[in-house]
Amino acid sequence: MSEAFRMHTTARKALLVALFVFMAACLSGCWDRREIEEIGFVAGLAIDFDSETDDIMVTVQIAKPFAIGRGAPGGGSVGERPFWTVQAQGKTVLDAVAQLTQKSPRPAVWAHNEMVVFGEAFARHGIGDALDFLTRHRESRLRVQPLVVRGFTAAYAAFTTESELNPIPSDALQNTARAAFSRLSITTMTNINEVLQILQTDGVEMLLPAFTLEPVSPEAGTFEGELKRESIAYTARFVGSAVFRQDKLVGFFDLQETRGRQWIVGSAGRAVVVVPHPQAPGQEVSLQVTTSSRKITFHDEGAGPSFRVAVDAAANLGDSDSHIDPLDPEIWTRLEHQLEAAIESEMQSALRKAQLEYSSDVFGFGEYLYRRHPEVWARLGPNWDQVFSTVAVETSVNAELAGPGLVFRGARVER
Amino acid sequence: MSVFVSREISENEISIKSAFGYSTDLVVRIIRSGENPRFSVLIAHIDGLVDKDLVARSIIRPIGMKDTATIEMPPSPAYIYDDLRNRLLESSEVKEATRMADVLLHISSGDCAVIVEGVDSALICSVRSWMTRTPENPTTEPAIKGPKEGFTETIRVNTSLLRRRIRDPRLWIEETVVGEVSKTDIAIVYLKGIANEKVLQEVRERIGRVKVDSLQESGQLEELIEDAPWSLFATVLTTERPDKVAGSLFEGRVAILVDGSPTALVVPATFLQFLMATEDYYQRFTASWFIRLVRGVAFLVALALPSVYVAITTYHQEMLPTPLVLSIAAQREGVPFPAAIEALTMIFFLEVLLEGGVRLPTAVGSAISIVGALILGQAAVEAGLFSAAMVIIVALTAIASFTIPLFSLSNTVRILRIVLTIVSGFLGLFGVAAVLFGLFIHLAAMRSFGIPYFEPLAPVVLPDLKDAITRAPWWAMKQRPELIAHDNVVRIGDDQKPTPPRSPQKPSPAGTVGQQRSSQQKQQKGNASNPDEQQSSSDQRPSSLGPATQKERQPRSRRKSRR
């Protein structure tokens, strides 16, 4: 009897455990379930500052998957744009984003967002709030790329651009920025993760890629929530970079200054530098820089602290207006000197602007001191902003012209 | 009915006839023969199981020709009985039986019983002959490269197929009978000296334990002797291929043949065996290496692809690249079901198609593919009931499951796939991972006739890994599976890797290499330079395998001392 009873209780226990497991699966089940076609994938985010209401205006581009599938790109005038643009205002970024829910039938999913565009007014106001939102949000990725619109066009106007080659503006902008960075070194590439690190580090300021929006039609700038193909109003062009102090925009570098900063920081990739022809006056030669490296040293004797930046660059002959004899060592040396001078002037102009105009250490000299000469940093660090503006930076460039390209004599033959 | 064979021939006649219920295929004949005195002999057999010609020629004629008159003294029945047994019956196999039950068993097995009046013992002549199928290409395990013969329904044919592959007296066959009524012959086949005695004893015990009324197929026996009767995984390997059974015997495994079944059972079985095709051993190892990897991946695809797809698209959209997620979302647009329901329905369609294909005669089989693939698949997508991505996923799953060589495993995968898909619909990748985790625990915990089922992966047996997920070349697989044939593991002689003969003209660079080689090889290399001695060196080759075969017979001393 007792044996049977014990059997009975073990069987009941086993049944109870099985029931609990089953209930755990069922009750917690489907908790996070979101069918893929019922969510709005955010493809781009633009943040503007509305000076009238003192509000933050958030514009979000949400992908319309069904429109992508139907071959919208290049579909002519009948094509439907493969995304939906929606706008909301709020006191903070998250407040504004929350307002979006009132308008969007599909909950916004941020995991696939790759770009955030800041309007100039908002950036001057400080982008800290936006960065805070993007880093604290569970779905948003740290690889989101921040961009700044130069000029007084609203950032959301970036969503009214369209590239013939890429139907999604955020994608097109990103790819263009990447090409400008890697092929010409005239802009910077960064993401929220790097920006966050820079903001948390003393002695370095951030530099974000900047572009302008140029109107393509007189009635540009109309914006009515949803965008039709006819409302394409702007084209985007990268024009250098935006200089920040802390999280506030202080000014812009043009293309040359941006590249000057890239030489100093050592992240310049390839570049095209145009120099005067050494023999034919008024003619130009373009040189294709292939690789470069830099070395920074710090000196603290005599006339106060100073940095020396030595850049090594290798280049090829790109093209020339007039004949160049590659066997003439004199021409070769003069070209190299001219390249050195061009690079050096770019560096100097970037340094001048950063030190005198913006007093923003976008080169990370302070961080260099903090890493390499902590004792100096302990002395200079507390008021680095003033020190940076006055610190002496010597630059020197050693350029090597590696070769004439694929052909020896080329099309410009001296007769 | 008396228990023993009676001296009275008419009593025996009644016993036999009534035992068979006067069945029409039972033939009982009483022959009265000889002069002075006449003697009576009863002949009983079943029509259709015996060679009637042979009965007439080798049993009836000798009895009729027995002329008792020439013998001076009237012969006793015992004399006639002995004479028949020792001299007259022209049958290759004559046995004696005194119990009536044995006589009846032999008659129903296709033997011919000969009972002499006045003797309480019967002579059993083997004259079995019935319709059998010739060995054909095994339909369930076809091979492009490899033997094209498969087992038949006749156990004797099947044992002969094995004998032809292993011409050594150490191929031992133990026969028993299972089935109280069907009395089915069971053969336990193994290689004496290689097979693990413990496994063998376990097989004998488990088969001896079986008490059923009948046994029609080896699948029934499999369910009665397997280790994990509730598991989804089979712990007994089944095969139709004699070459596969022979290969398994050389690994130290034990084969069980069941009369009436073209499928042999092989134990102990390990999980990875179910992913191995016989062909893997006949292709060059480079091909096998690659194909086994493909099959391994296909196994995972067949098992988990629908569930992973469901989990990622409904719970973890951030894991997909943006273009892919948008593409899938575009296809799902307008689909009325959640992805999990969609997947389960598609899988159900697939199962129905598969089962319909198996049951249909081949002549109308092609209709299934047209109706199923074209009409159902395409129309369902066009009607917007299912997304094209889901059709692709399920179709890929189906094709992947066809790569699993053994049907028992693909059946398991079919069930587990549905379980995984349901769980992934509830819990996402977390659920998929949990189920797979439980599955691996289950696999690692199982044993097949004492051998860990997940060997050599868990426990890790390094030498056995050569023939596991991939296959090493034959010349490198020097050992049998260590846990199975642990007394006798060496199977291949040393230096089996073939090398081209070294050119005698260039001794200097070869010399440095040769120094590292064994002296025996150096000698062979020296011989090769002399054409007269080359013959003798090639003569030595077969005899040099001698030590290897001797090693086979004796357990390696190092191994012994370790245990």
Side-chain angles (χ1 to χ4, degrees):
Chain A
M1 170 62 202
S2 66
E3 184 68 21
F5 181 71
R6 209 175 297 130
M7 290 279 284
H8 183 64
T9 49
T10 31
R12 233 173 46 177
K13 268 182 199 161
L15 209 69
L16 268 177
V17 170
L19 190 69
F20 283 151
V21 170
F22 180 72
M23 273 163 50
C26 291
L27 293 178
S28 65
C30 312
W31 182 42
D32 258 348
R33 190 171 70 86
R34 292 178 306 195
E35 290 299 330
I36 197 166
E37 76 278 11
E38 288 166 6
I39 49 185
F41 292 102
V42 175
L45 167 69
I47 303 176
D48 284 301
F49 187 68
D50 188 343
S51 51
E52 286 173 24
T53 57
D54 221 24
D55 273 354
I56 286 169
M57 185 153 67
V58 162
T59 313
V60 165
Q61 199 176 45
I62 290 175
K64 282 198 289 195
F66 47 92
I68 294 179
R70 288 179 214 148
S77 56
V78 289
E80 197 180 354
R81 302 200 79 190
F83 51 82
W84 179 60
T85 311
V86 60
Q87 214 166 39
Q89 293 196 339
K91 291 289 162 206
T92 63
V93 174
L94 182 56
D95 185 29
V97 164
Q99 307 291 324
L100 286 176
T101 320
Q102 299 173 347
K103 299 183 180 177
S104 170
R106 296 181 176 185
V109 167
W110 294 83
H112 287 273
N113 180 31
E114 305 227 342
M115 185 190 76
V116 53
V117 183
F118 300 116
E120 186 175 333
F122 178 77
R124 287 196 186 276
H125 207 73
I127 61 171
D129 179 27
L131 293 176
D132 218 30
F133 165 73
L134 288 171
T135 47
R136 285 186 199 279
H137 197 277
R138 182 171 65 86
E139 282 168 1
S140 189
R141 299 278 174 96
L142 289 179
R143 62 152 193 255
V144 170
Q145 200 183 356
L147 303 172
V148 175
V149 176
R150 182 174 186 176
F152 290 97
T153 329
Y156 64 72
F159 295 148
T160 67
T161 62
E162 188 184 79
S163 161
E164 296 270 344
L165 294 175
N166 199 326
I168 302 179
S170 62
D171 224 26
L173 278 172
Q174 251 196 324
N175 289 342
T176 315
R178 195 170 296 133
F181 167 73
S182 66
R183 303 185 79 86
L184 290 177
S185 308
I186 51 162
T187 187
T188 55
M189 278 294 276
T190 182
N191 56 40
I192 295 287
N193 186 31
E194 287 172 11
V195 163
L196 204 66
Q197 286 175 25
I198 289 172
L199 278 177
Q200 291 169 358
T201 311
D202 286 337
V204 60
E205 300 293 348
M206 62 181 167
L207 193 71
L208 300 184
F211 63 97
T212 56
L213 292 166
E214 293 158 355
V216 286
S217 58
E219 65 271 21
T222 54
F223 180 84
E224 292 288 327
E226 195 176 337
L227 281 167
K228 293 280 182 293
R229 188 163 289 268
E230 305 83 63
S231 59
I232 293 167
Y234 294 98
T235 52
R237 188 163 65 88
F238 278 85
V239 289
S241 48
V243 182
F244 282 74
R245 199 162 58 218
Q246 294 300 327
D247 68 328
K248 289 187 172 54
L249 177 73
V250 289
F252 291 92
F253 276 174
D254 67 11
L255 299 178
Q256 274 73 35
E257 288 155 356
T258 307
R259 192 154 66 191
R261 182 261 183 182
Q262 301 293 75
W263 298 121
I264 295 174
V265 173
S267 59
R270 287 182 283 170
V272 174
V273 179
V274 179
V275 297
H277 194 287
Q279 287 169 326
Q283 308 274 24
E284 255 112 25
V285 179
S286 47
L287 302 172
Q288 184 105 44
V289 178
T290 51
T291 57
S292 76
S293 65
R294 67 93 173 84
K295 193 173 167 60
I296 296 181
T297 48
F298 174 72
H299 304 271
D300 193 12
E301 65 265 337
S306 70
F307 289 91
R308 274 180 210 155
V309 182
V311 172
D312 278 321
N316 280 321
L317 192 56
D319 63 359
S320 166
D321 278 350
S322 185
H323 171 75
I324 281 181
D325 181 6
L327 288 183
D328 187 345
E330 194 201 339
I331 291 185
W332 220 239
T333 325
R334 281 176 64 187
L335 276 175
E336 285 178 345
H337 285 325
Q338 275 168 345
L339 178 60
E340 285 166 4
I343 292 176
E344 196 161 355
S345 90
E346 285 181 352
M347 285 156 62
Q348 285 296 345
S349 61
L351 280 167
R352 225 173 8 252
K353 211 161 186 180
Q355 282 185 305
L356 303 179
E357 212 171 311
Y358 303 141
S359 63
S360 164
D361 184 4
V362 290
F363 310 99
F365 284 127
E367 195 197 358
Y368 170 83
L369 276 188
Y370 171 76
R371 287 178 192 278
R372 298 293 184 84
H373 304 280
E375 70 289 344
V376 180
W377 177 250
R379 181 159 47 87
L380 300 178
N383 44 2
W384 178 247
D385 283 353
Q386 287 84 44
V387 178
F388 169 71
S389 296
T390 56
V391 75
V393 182
E394 286 173 38
T395 52
S396 64
V397 181
N398 177 25
E400 187 195 351
L401 205 50
L406 280 184
V407 293
F408 194 68
R409 294 175 67 191
R412 304 276 184 190
V413 183
E414 195 179 36
R415 291 183 199 281
Chain B
M1 193 183 88
S2 56
V3 176
F4 294 98
V5 176
S6 161
R7 286 175 198 275
E8 280 299 316
I9 201 159
S10 55
E11 199 180 312
N12 287 329
E13 185 188 2
I14 292 166
S15 292
I16 294 171
K17 279 189 171 172
S18 62
F20 279 98
Y22 298 89
S23 298
T24 46
D25 60 344
L26 176 73
V27 176
V28 178
R29 186 177 169 195
I30 294 176
I31 300 170
R32 298 192 189 283
S33 180
E35 304 283 338
N36 188 30
R38 298 175 79 85
F39 63 92
S40 300
V41 176
L42 178 145
I43 297 171
H45 62 80
I46 299 236
D47 191 13
L49 293 186
V50 299
D51 185 342
K52 278 184 152 176
D53 244 20
L54 196 63
V55 172
R57 248 186 306 116
S58 64
I59 299 174
I60 297 178
R61 185 149 21 124
I63 292 171
M65 296 213 345
K66 172 76 183 163
D67 192 357
T68 43
T70 54
I71 301 168
E72 288 157 20
M73 218 172 69
S76 67
Y79 172 80
I80 295 172
Y81 177 84
D82 285 344
D83 205 27
L84 279 174
R85 185 188 64 195
N86 294 339
R87 190 167 67 91
L88 289 175
L89 288 180
E90 296 175 3
S91 172
S92 63
E93 191 183 335
V94 177
K95 288 184 231 164
E96 286 174 282
T98 53
R99 293 170 62 90
M100 191 44 103
D102 292 342
V103 174
L104 293 174
L105 172 62
H106 280 293
I107 291 174
S108 43
S109 307
D111 291 334
C112 182
V114 176
I115 303 174
V116 179
E117 167 117 66
V119 181
D120 57 353
S121 178
L123 291 171
I124 309 292
C125 307
S126 175
V127 285
R128 295 180 191 192
S129 164
W130 55 78
M131 298 294 290
T132 58
R133 198 163 58 91
T134 48
E136 286 166 10
N137 204 359
T139 44
T140 56
E141 297 163 81
I144 296 167
K145 192 178 178 187
K148 303 275 188 288
E149 62 181 12
F151 284 129
T152 70
E153 284 77 9
T154 316
I155 196 166
R156 201 40 72 219
V157 176
N158 295 349
T159 52
S160 73
L161 287 172
L162 290 176
R163 281 270 181 221
R164 268 176 34 208
R165 291 182 174 276
I166 307 169
R167 294 176 195 175
D168 194 288
R170 280 174 289 177
L171 176 67
W172 284 18
I173 300 175
E174 289 176 15
E175 291 211 5
T176 61
V177 173
V178 168
E180 308 287 316
V181 180
S182 72
K183 307 219 171 53
T184 311
D185 284 335
I186 307 279
I188 302 171
V189 188
Y190 56 95
L191 278 175
K192 182 68 181 170
I194 295 176
N196 190 332
E197 287 294 333
K198 282 184 188 163
V199 171
L200 204 53
Q201 193 51 40
E202 187 65 31
V203 171
R204 288 188 197 115
E205 275 170 20
R206 287 194 198 179
I207 290 178
R209 211 183 50 82
V210 172
K211 281 193 174 46
V212 289
D213 59 344
S214 82
L215 209 56
Q216 297 305 321
E217 227 281 336
S218 58
Q220 287 173 288
L221 185 65
E222 179 191 346
E223 274 194 49
L224 290 163
I225 63 169
E226 68 187 344
D227 283 73
W230 291 104
S231 173
L232 282 172
F233 291 90
T235 47
V236 175
L237 191 74
T238 53
T239 180
E240 269 190 83
R241 301 188 64 93
D243 53 324
K244 188 166 182 177
V245 171
S248 301
L249 295 182
F250 278 105
E251 288 175 346
R253 297 181 208 272
V254 178
I256 302 163
L257 304 176
V258 176
D259 194 24
S261 163
T263 313
L265 308 179
V266 177
V267 292
T270 54
F271 174 73
L272 287 179
Q273 274 188 298
F274 290 86
L275 286 174
M276 298 173 183
T278 335
E279 214 172 334
D280 293 352
Y281 296 102
Y282 307 144
Q283 304 270 20
R284 292 192 61 240
F285 87 96
T286 47
S288 307
W289 192 90
F290 172 70
I291 289 168
R292 274 198 182 172
L293 279 187
V294 170
R295 209 182 286 134
V297 173
F299 168 73
L300 292 179
V301 165
L303 181 67
L305 185 66
S307 52
V308 168
Y309 173 81
V310 167
I312 289 183
T313 55
T314 50
Y315 289 95
H316 317 282
Q317 292 94 354
E318 64 276 7
M319 284 181 70
L320 295 172
T322 309
L324 182 59
V325 86
L326 293 180
S327 163
I328 292 175
Q331 292 172 38
R332 290 264 315 148
E333 205 76 50
V335 174
F337 313 111
I341 302 292
E342 193 190 3
L344 285 172
T345 319
M346 282 302 295
I347 291 172
F348 176 71
F349 279 2
L350 170 71
E351 295 300 331
V352 169
L353 274 176
L354 286 178
E355 185 59 18
V358 172
R359 299 294 148 231
L360 263 184
T362 42
V364 273
S366 58
I368 275 275
S369 56
I370 293 169
V371 174
L374 293 179
I375 300 180
L376 261 183
Q378 193 162 353
V381 171
E382 276 176 14
L385 293 176
F386 298 99
S387 61
M390 185 59 81
V391 174
I392 294 170
I393 293 285
V394 173
L396 188 60
T397 307
I399 294 166
S401 67
F402 295 150
T403 64
I404 299 173
L406 285 178
F407 208 56
S408 51
L409 185 61
S410 53
N411 283 343
T412 308
V413 164
R414 283 160 76 174
I415 299 167
L416 282 175
R417 183 193 300 153
I418 295 173
V419 173
L420 274 170
T421 309
I422 293 173
V423 172
S424 77
F426 278 120
L427 296 170
L429 279 185
F430 169 72
V432 175
V435 170
L436 287 181
F437 204 70
L439 213 60
F440 278 118
I441 292 175
H442 173 62
L443 284 174
M446 270 203 292
R447 277 165 184 270
S448 169
F449 285 79
I451 303 299
Y453 190 56
F454 218 37
E455 186 263 351
L457 300 180
V460 175
V461 182
L462 284 178
D464 292 6
L465 284 175
K466 284 181 179 174
D467 182 17
I469 294 170
T470 58
R471 177 173 82 77
W474 271 110
W475 40 260
M477 286 198 288
K478 293 190 190 302
Q479 296 191 356
R480 311 179 202 285
E482 200 169 73
L483 294 184
I484 297 172
H486 62 79
D487 282 343
N488 185 348
V489 289
V490 178
R491 69 183 309 182
I492 287 177
D494 293 332
D495 296 325
Q496 289 299 295
K497 184 184 172 189
T499 45
R502 289 187 179 278
S503 164
Q505 276 84 24
K506 287 180 254 172
S508 50
T512 53
V513 182
Q515 279 171 357
Q516 294 162 356
R517 291 173 165 262
S518 70
S519 59
Q520 182 201 354
Q521 263 217 338
K522 218 187 276 178
Q523 196 187 346
Q524 281 186 357
K525 197 176 62 196
N527 287 344
S529 62
N530 191 334
D532 291 335
E533 283 176 351
Q534 198 162 8
Q535 187 61 43
S536 67
S537 85
S538 63
D539 278 348
Q540 281 172 356
R541 278 196 176 273
S543 66
S544 75
L545 274 176
T549 34
Q550 274 199 341
K551 252 186 232 165
E552 250 175 58
R553 238 171 271 135
Q554 295 163 350
R556 287 205 308 188
S557 55
R558 183 178 65 82
R559 213 158 274 289
K560 263 276 153 115
S561 62
R562 208 173 58 184
R563 289 204 162 82

